[in-house]
């Protein structure tokens, strides 16, 4: 027992007893919890097994019914073939199908009055059955499962037949398909034998304690591996009461086919109104579970007794050692704490730590050393420190390992592992370890400075490269501090300023420019310091010889490591020639525009002045031609004068159109319009001209609207000018093609094609210039040379295009493209000058 002088309130023996008994209790509680968990696992495993059976059985039922449905569809298709649609042929086919499908009991073809016209059984042909007992009939071309019918075959459906009674467990499920024949609709009927499905269920489950059943959606039992009577209605079963039709498959744990609790699972067919149930009594599951855990229960009891005995034995043994244990524990704690602290220190150091013997052989290295070399500690121990450095540095290491040297740290910068693929530059420090007066070894550390030296070298190279770039740059550059003194300038700057570096560096920038320029640059410097955003501006610089130049200047703040501005970097470019060229271009443009305006006004004025006398000439010519009809010579003279006057008037009108389009008067007024009526109107208007040359027009217009935003008057003017050219140059009796379509991007494409002489390829663009005609049509039949020019100007105002080409089999083709409707209702028609 514990002595009265013992100050420990809870000795180890008492703790062992308490812990041991607690372990017994905990082990027992855990064992009980595990047993209950095994019980739940056994129930869950049974539920999963039931669900698997239900899925397999439902798949078999669905595939079996689908196979029968395919057979019905095949028979229905054969009924439409005259050679195979005879009663004898169909009956033979049905018998063959019944033999090949064990699931089916009978098959027949029945008309809508119930008369059996063909059947798998010869006695059933001609029999009349009651169709209402089958359930709802399917629609044409589809199939359906009917009601469960007690009986063995078609005879059970016969009207007024006195058939012998069948056992309650015998029945059929009708599968029907409706087909339409010339003589009327018929029902192709297959009677499914549910007992065949039940046999498959019984063989699949192969467990006398489990039970499987096949139900319809209405809760009627079709078949059961147990004692259930087919045809019984079980709507209070939890599957129909809780799940269907909302949930197609699930597990349940409650009373099912039997009143006792059941572990059950069901699955409804995805394509047929049938449900498969699989159940096993909960008591049977518990019996199996108890059999599996009996041995474990005995083991738990034995283990509890053994653990209790061991606890008592251990507590007695510990009681005898407690005094000695208490004496050594204090020292062990101190040693463990010291080792732990030393361990943490060694692990946290990122340097290479090592120790050598008196001869300089490694006797200890830390983990960082092994990570740096990739070698194990066993491979490193025993290596001489002098062998780790380059040959030219070995004398330095030998001097550091001199045991006769003065005490204290010895330091050097060396190359470790010089002969390997991963040499390292290190700062090494060695401290001799003494045992009395003699050195017994050395303790050392090495700091890897390879990355630092490489970074310093790369930085030096980068700085040299940047300095070279600045020196070689063709743009003058300068760097000034925040007080405005030059820190550096490049060669281009010195050449531009005509100075040397010694004259510039350290001097303020305003010493080399006039005061006015200095104030301007100072204002921009202050603006740059306030915003911190790069600035670009132009300024005039005065050279020392008094000449001036235009400069495009860029300035940016240079930020230091502390986030503050350290200086201003300035680059500039001499843009004097560029600005002079721009000013000259602007002056030339203004002169050209003034000349263009004067020319347009002259054309407009002269055209208006010419129209008045031309109207008189045309009027008197028409009057004279009408009064001297009997004098052919005089009448011909008046006719020539009239034609010349009209030709002159057309030229004047074209000149006026050009003048209007080039001025604000020629504003294009856009409105959304269907182009088809506009095209037809122009073609109808030019009908007399087509008739005069016996020309035909082939119009290829779509049936849907060609909607676009155009100026209807100007658009018709374009069509009129193009068609007038086509009429003028087409041979007599030919045709002219007019077509239009909407492109995939929403633009409109129109084309006009004649069968005339065509256009030389090098003149495709020239004919759209004012007063220019094709060289093939300069035979006196041409016009003024303004029509196509006016067309292009009008389409330019519409943001469209017109182009010319030659058709493959001869003739000219003009293509007009109008863009999608992405512009305003009114657009000014001021364009380039025609004349």
């Amino acid at each position: 027992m514990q002595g009265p002088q013992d100050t420990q309130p809870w000795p180890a023996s008492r703790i062992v007893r308490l812990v041991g008994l607690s372990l017994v209790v905990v082990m027992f509680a855990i064992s009980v919890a595990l047993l209950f968990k095994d019980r739940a696992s056994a129930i869950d495993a049974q539920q999963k097994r039931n669900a698997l059976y239900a899925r397999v059985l439902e798949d078999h039922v669905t595939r079996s019914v689908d196979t029968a449905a395919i057979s019905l569809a095949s028979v229905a298709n054969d009924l439409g073939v005259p050679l195979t649609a005879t009663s004898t042929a169909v009956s033979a086919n049905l018998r063959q199908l019944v033999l090949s499908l064990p699931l089916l009991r009978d098959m027949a073809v029945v008309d809508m009055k119930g008369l059996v016209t063909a059947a798998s059984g010869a006695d059933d042909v001609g029999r009349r059955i009651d169709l209402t007992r089958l359930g709802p009939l399917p629609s044409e071309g589809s199939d359906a499962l009917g009601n469960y019918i007690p009986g063995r075959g078609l005879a059970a459906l016969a009207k007024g037949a006195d058939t012998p009674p069948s056992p309650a467990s015998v029945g059929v499920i009708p599968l029907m398909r409706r087909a339409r024949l010339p003589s009327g609709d018929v029902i192709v009927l297959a009677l499914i034998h549910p007992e065949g499905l039940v046999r498959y269920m019984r063989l699949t489950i192969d467990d006398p304690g489990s039970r499987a059943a096949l139900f319809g959606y209405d809760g009627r039992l079709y078949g059961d591996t147990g004692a259930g009577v087919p045809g019984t209605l079980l709507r209070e079963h939890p599957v129909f009461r809780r799940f269907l039709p909302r949930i197609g498959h699930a597990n349940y744990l409650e009373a099912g086919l039997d009143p006792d609790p059941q572990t059950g699972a069901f699955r409804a067919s995805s394509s047929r109104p049938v449900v498969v149930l699989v159940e096993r009594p909960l008591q049977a599951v518990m019996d199996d579970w108890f059999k599996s855990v009996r041995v474990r229960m005995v083991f738990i009891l034995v283990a509890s007794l053994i653990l209790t005995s061991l606890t008592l034995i251990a507590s007695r043994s510990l009681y005898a050692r407690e005094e000695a244990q208490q004496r050594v524990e204090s020292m062990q704690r101190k040693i463990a704490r010291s080792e732990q602290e030393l361990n943490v220190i060694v692990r946290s150091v990122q340097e290479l730590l090592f120790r050598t013997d008196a001869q300089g052989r490694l006797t200890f290295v830390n983990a960082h050393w092994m990570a740096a070399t990739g070698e194990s500690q066993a491979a490193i121990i025993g290596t001489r420190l002098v062998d780790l450095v380059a040959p030219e540095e070995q004398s330095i290491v030998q001097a550091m390992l001199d045991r006769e040297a003065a005490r204290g740290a010895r330091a050097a910068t060396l190359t470790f592992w010089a002969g390997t693929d991963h040499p390292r530059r290190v700062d090494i420090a060695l401290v001799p370890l003494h045992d009395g007066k003699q050195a017994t070894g050395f303790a050392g550390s090495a700091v890897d400075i390879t990355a630092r030296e490489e970074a310093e070298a790369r930085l030096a190279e980068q700085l040299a490269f940047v300095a070279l770039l600045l020196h070689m740059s063709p743009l003058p550059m300068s760097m000034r501090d925040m007080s405005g003194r030059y820190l550096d300038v490049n060669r281009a700057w010195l050449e531009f300023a005509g100075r040397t570096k010694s004259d510039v560096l350290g001097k303020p920038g305003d010493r080399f420019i006039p005061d006015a320029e200095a104030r301007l640059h100072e204002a921009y410097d202050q603006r740059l310091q306030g915003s911190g955003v790069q600035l670009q501006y132009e300024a005039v610089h005065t050279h020392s010889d008094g000449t001036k130049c235009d400069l495009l200047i860029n300035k940016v703040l240079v930020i230091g490591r502390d986030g503050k501005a350290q200086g201003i970097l300035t680059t500039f470019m001499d843009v004097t020639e560029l600005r002079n060229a721009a000013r000259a271009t602007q002056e030339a443009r203004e002169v050209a525009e003034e000349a263009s305006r004067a020319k347009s006004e002259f054309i407009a004025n002269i055209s208006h002045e010419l129209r008045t006398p031309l109207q008189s000439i045309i009027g008197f010519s028409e009057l004279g031609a009408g009064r001297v009809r009997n004098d052919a010579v005089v009448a011909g003279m008046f006719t020539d004068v009239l034609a010349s006057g009209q030709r002159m008037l057309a030229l004047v009108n074209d000149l006026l159109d050009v003048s209007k389009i080039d001025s604000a008067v020629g504003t294009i007024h856009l409105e959304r319009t269907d182009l088809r009526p506009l095209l037809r109107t122009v073609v109808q208007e030019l009908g007399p001209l087509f008739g005069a040359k016996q020309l035909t027009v082939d119009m290829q217009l779509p049936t849907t609207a060609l909607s676009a935003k155009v100026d209807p008057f100007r658009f018709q003017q374009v069509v009129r000018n193009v068609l007038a050219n086509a009429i003028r140059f087409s041979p007599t009796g030919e045709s002219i093609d007019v077509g239009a379509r909407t492109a995939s991007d929403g633009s409109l494409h129109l084309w006009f094609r004649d069968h005339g002489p065509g256009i030389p390829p090098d003149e495709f663009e020239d004919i759209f210039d004012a007063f220019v005609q094709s060289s093939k049509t300069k035979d006196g039949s041409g016009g003024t040379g303004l029509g196509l020019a006016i067309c292009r100007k009008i389409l330019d105002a519409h943001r469209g295009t017109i182009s010319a080409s030659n058709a493959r089999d001869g003739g000219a083709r003009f293509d007009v493209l109008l863009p999608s409707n992405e512009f305003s209702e009114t657009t000014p028609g001021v364009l380039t000058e025609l004349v």
Side-chain angles (χ1 to χ4, degrees):
M1 294 181 62
Q2 185 174 350
Q5 301 300 323
D6 195 346
T7 58
Q8 181 180 356
W10 287 92
S13 58
R14 184 178 300 177
I15 293 175
V16 168
R17 284 196 299 270
L18 181 60
V19 171
L21 295 177
S22 300
L23 286 176
V24 173
V25 174
V26 170
M27 185 182 70
F28 189 80
I30 292 174
S31 300
V32 172
L34 291 176
L35 291 176
F36 276 97
K37 183 179 179 181
D38 287 347
R39 177 182 181 276
S41 298
I43 295 174
D44 182 63
Q46 184 61 47
Q47 292 283 52
K48 291 180 179 179
R49 193 178 303 112
N50 293 342
L52 178 61
Y53 283 146
R55 182 174 181 178
V56 171
L57 297 178
E58 176 273 325
D59 181 68
H60 173 72
V61 171
T62 300
R63 285 190 291 104
S64 299
V65 176
D66 287 345
T67 301
I70 293 172
S71 300
L72 291 184
S74 174
V75 173
N77 291 335
D78 290 344
L79 292 177
V81 181
L83 294 177
T84 61
T86 63
S87 175
T88 303
V90 173
S91 297
N93 188 20
L94 295 179
R95 280 192 294 274
Q96 187 64 34
L97 287 174
V98 170
L99 290 175
S100 62
L101 298 175
L103 179 67
L104 301 182
R105 186 179 293 276
D106 282 326
M107 292 184 71
V109 178
V110 186
D111 63 15
M112 299 310 294
K113 295 181 180 180
L115 180 63
V116 179
T117 60
S120 57
D123 297 338
D124 293 327
V125 178
R127 191 190 300 273
R128 191 173 297 275
I129 66 175
D130 186 1
L131 294 179
T132 60
R133 296 186 61 191
L134 298 176
L137 299 180
S139 59
E140 179 187 351
S142 62
D143 55 62
L145 275 175
N147 299 327
Y148 178 83
I149 301 171
R152 296 185 178 277
L154 282 175
L157 294 170
K159 285 186 176 180
D162 187 13
T163 57
S166 301
S169 61
V170 177
V172 292
I173 305 172
L175 177 63
M176 303 166 282
R177 185 178 184 88
R178 191 167 188 161
R180 175 158 294 180
L181 301 180
S183 58
D185 289 0
V186 296
I187 300 297
V188 182
L189 178 64
L191 298 182
I192 298 175
H193 184 31
E195 184 59 30
L197 299 175
V198 171
R199 282 196 297 272
Y200 180 84
M201 293 178 180
R202 190 175 290 111
L203 291 174
T204 300
I205 295 177
D206 193 23
D207 179 10
S210 297
R211 183 175 179 182
L214 179 65
F215 282 87
Y217 266 20
D218 58 353
R220 191 171 299 279
L221 181 64
Y222 289 164
D224 183 8
T225 60
V229 178
T232 305
L233 196 61
L234 297 176
R235 291 180 179 172
E236 292 304 316
H237 192 282
V239 170
F240 306 101
R241 176 168 44 85
R242 291 175 47 200
F243 299 105
L244 288 178
R246 181 172 50 88
I247 300 175
H249 62 87
N251 298 330
Y252 53 90
L253 185 62
E254 55 184 293
L257 296 174
D258 290 329
D260 297 329
Q262 305 287 320
T263 59
F266 77 94
R267 179 173 287 269
S269 173
S270 58
S271 60
R272 303 295 174 180
V274 293
V275 184
V276 175
L277 279 70
V278 177
E279 294 181 353
R280 190 165 189 253
L282 179 61
Q283 185 59 45
V285 177
M286 293 297 96
D287 292 343
D288 293 342
W289 167 76
F290 184 75
K291 291 177 182 178
S292 65
V293 300
R294 280 185 301 185
V295 175
R296 197 183 312 171
M297 289 180 178
V298 173
F299 175 78
I300 291 171
L301 293 175
V302 173
S304 299
L305 293 175
I306 293 174
L307 184 58
T308 303
S309 302
L310 291 176
T311 299
L312 296 175
I313 294 172
S315 64
R316 291 180 180 179
S317 175
L318 286 174
Y319 179 77
R321 302 180 187 178
E322 283 176 356
E323 292 296 332
Q325 183 74 22
Q326 291 174 359
R327 285 193 297 268
V328 300
E329 280 180 355
S330 178
M331 186 60 68
Q332 288 177 343
R333 283 194 295 269
K334 291 180 180 180
I335 295 174
R337 186 163 54 250
S338 299
E339 289 181 351
Q340 184 179 10
E341 291 173 355
L342 183 60
N343 232 358
V344 171
I345 292 173
V346 172
R347 284 200 304 270
S348 63
V349 173
Q350 295 300 311
E351 300 176 1
L352 303 174
L353 301 181
F354 60 94
R355 188 170 62 242
T356 71
D357 58 14
Q359 288 74 35
R361 292 185 179 86
L362 293 173
T363 59
F364 166 80
V365 293
N366 66 344
H368 194 60
W369 183 298
M370 290 183 286
T373 61
E375 298 178 347
S376 64
Q377 189 173 23
I380 297 172
I381 299 303
T383 304
R384 296 196 311 163
L385 188 63
V386 70
D387 294 334
L388 297 178
V389 301
E392 62 271 14
E393 297 175 344
Q394 290 181 353
S395 59
I396 301 174
V397 177
Q398 290 173 351
M400 296 177 69
L401 294 174
D402 185 4
R403 291 181 291 175
E404 304 299 330
R407 297 190 179 189
R410 307 165 187 182
T413 299
L414 305 171
T415 303
F416 270 15
W417 308 294
T420 65
D421 296 334
H422 50 277
R424 293 287 187 272
R425 291 286 293 169
V426 296
D427 283 340
I428 185 173
L430 281 179
V431 176
L433 302 175
H434 290 83
D435 182 11
K437 295 181 179 181
Q438 187 177 4
T440 59
F442 296 87
S445 65
V447 180
D448 191 345
I449 60 171
T450 306
R452 187 186 72 192
E453 289 189 350
E454 291 177 353
E456 290 173 350
R458 287 195 299 270
L459 179 59
E461 292 175 358
Q462 186 176 3
L463 291 176
F465 179 69
V466 171
L468 182 61
L469 284 179
L470 293 176
H471 182 69
M472 298 298 296
S473 174
L475 291 179
M477 297 184 184
S478 65
M479 178 67 184
R480 294 180 293 120
D481 60 19
M482 298 309 294
S483 62
R485 297 182 180 277
Y486 284 105
L487 300 176
D488 195 11
V489 293
N490 68 345
R491 183 178 63 181
W493 193 97
L494 295 173
E495 292 175 353
F496 178 84
R499 299 181 183 275
T500 63
K501 272 195 175 185
S502 60
D503 297 336
V504 176
L505 297 185
K507 307 296 190 303
D510 55 5
R511 289 187 54 181
F512 308 107
I513 56 177
D515 293 341
E517 295 182 23
R519 287 193 296 271
L520 174 66
H521 294 311
E522 183 179 358
Y524 276 105
D525 289 346
Q526 293 176 356
R527 182 177 170 186
L528 176 65
Q529 295 175 34
S531 65
V533 180
Q534 177 180 345
L535 286 181
Q536 184 182 78
Y537 63 95
E538 292 190 20
V540 177
H541 175 67
T542 304
H543 288 286
S544 58
D545 58 359
T547 59
K548 296 182 180 295
C549 63
D550 294 323
L551 299 180
L552 179 62
I553 303 172
N554 287 278
K555 291 185 176 181
V556 65
L557 283 177
V558 178
I559 307 300
R561 290 181 298 176
D562 57 357
K564 298 180 180 180
Q566 302 295 316
I568 298 176
L569 177 65
T570 305
T571 65
F572 59 86
M573 181 172 58
D574 189 346
V575 294
T576 305
E577 295 181 359
L578 180 63
R579 293 296 175 261
N580 291 338
R583 284 191 285 269
T585 302
Q586 180 63 25
E587 292 173 359
R589 184 184 297 110
E590 292 174 355
V591 171
E593 290 177 352
E594 182 61 29
S596 175
R597 283 193 296 271
K599 182 165 47 178
S600 295
E601 291 176 1
F602 170 76
I603 292 173
N605 292 333
I606 195 65
S607 299
H608 281 292
E609 292 297 331
L610 288 174
R611 289 186 70 176
T612 302
L614 282 174
Q615 294 291 353
S616 299
I617 293 172
I618 292 172
F620 285 115
S621 298
E622 291 177 344
L623 183 60
R627 291 186 176 183
V628 293
R629 293 177 182 172
N630 296 329
D631 190 340
V633 175
V634 177
M637 294 173 63
F638 276 111
T639 302
D640 292 339
V641 172
L642 175 61
S644 298
Q646 289 175 338
R647 181 179 179 83
M648 188 65 179
L649 181 60
L651 176 60
V652 170
N653 287 335
D654 284 345
L655 288 174
L656 283 175
D657 282 341
V658 171
S659 178
K660 287 180 181 179
I661 294 173
D662 285 339
S663 66
V665 178
T667 300
I668 301 298
H669 299 280
L670 302 178
E671 58 183 65
R672 191 179 299 277
T673 308
D674 185 359
L675 301 186
R676 296 179 300 170
L678 301 180
L679 290 168
R680 294 190 181 103
T681 300
V682 175
V683 171
Q684 185 177 3
E685 177 185 318
L686 298 178
L689 298 180
F690 288 115
K693 297 189 70 173
Q694 300 179 2
L695 299 174
T696 59
V697 180
D698 182 12
M699 297 192 70
Q700 305 170 20
L701 301 180
T703 57
T704 57
L706 291 171
S707 179
K709 284 186 177 180
V710 297
D711 185 326
F713 174 76
R714 294 296 183 185
F715 176 75
Q716 286 187 317
Q717 188 176 1
V718 172
V719 177
R720 189 180 295 108
N721 287 350
V722 175
L723 286 180
N725 281 347
I727 294 171
R728 188 177 297 119
F729 303 119
S730 292
T732 301
E734 289 290 348
S735 64
I736 296 176
D737 300 336
V738 179
R741 69 181 182 88
T742 302
S744 59
D745 59 355
S747 61
L748 298 183
H749 177 205
L750 297 85
W751 63 89
F752 307 87
R753 184 262 174 101
D754 61 45
H755 292 79
I759 305 168
D762 57 351
E763 298 178 4
F764 285 160
E765 283 298 317
D766 295 342
I767 60 175
F768 292 103
D769 295 335
F771 304 110
V772 175
Q773 299 184 35
S774 172
S775 60
K776 286 190 176 182
T777 59
K778 289 183 178 180
D779 56 358
S781 62
T784 62
L786 291 173
L788 292 179
I790 292 172
C791 291
R792 171 157 285 183
K793 291 179 72 62
I794 292 174
L795 287 170
D796 286 345
H798 282 76
R799 297 189 179 92
T801 62
I802 182 170
S803 60
S805 61
N806 288 326
R808 292 183 179 179
D809 53 351
R813 175 187 173 104
F814 289 85
D815 292 275
V816 175
L817 292 177
L818 290 172
S820 56
N821 304 328
E822 296 178 353
F823 39 81
S824 60
E825 297 294 334
T826 302
T827 303
V830 180
L831 306 166
T832 56
E833 293 288 347
L834 286 176
V835 294

